Amino acid sequence: MFKLTTLGLVLAVGVMSDKLNSIGNVNKMSVIAMSLISLPIISLSIDLKVLEYSLQIKAISNHLIEKFKEIPEIHTWESKLWSFN
């Protein structure tokens, strides 16, 4: 969702770049180019953050499975959560 919002922002900058020229000596093509170049960088950083959270959640889940082996409901829930059927 955030990636689509960022893409919308880039398109809005492209459309509204005439207003940027009135603010100062800003080149329209450089603003659009920098916006488009920043999209893959922002996308990669979002994906890396999602990967980080996923790995942390997986580590917590593994800890719960190991720590509470005697409670079958927790083991069943964590197994279904990660599709370890």
Side-chain angles (χ1 to χ4, degrees), residues 22-69:
S22 66
I23 294 172
N25 190 12
V26 178
N27 186 359
K28 177 181 177 179
M29 292 308 290
S30 65
V31 171
I32 294 173
M34 291 308 291
S35 299
L36 291 176
I37 289 171
S38 67
L39 270 178
I41 296 168
I42 292 171
S43 177
L44 178 66
S45 65
I46 292 170
D47 288 342
L48 288 175
K49 189 52 86 173
V50 168
L51 176 64
E52 175 190 359
Y53 289 148
S54 299
L55 291 175
Q56 289 174 357
I57 292 169
K58 181 65 176 158
I60 291 169
S61 179
N62 286 339
H63 174 73
L64 290 175
I65 289 173
E66 291 173 10
K67 185 77 174 172
F68 300 105
K69 288 181 183 178

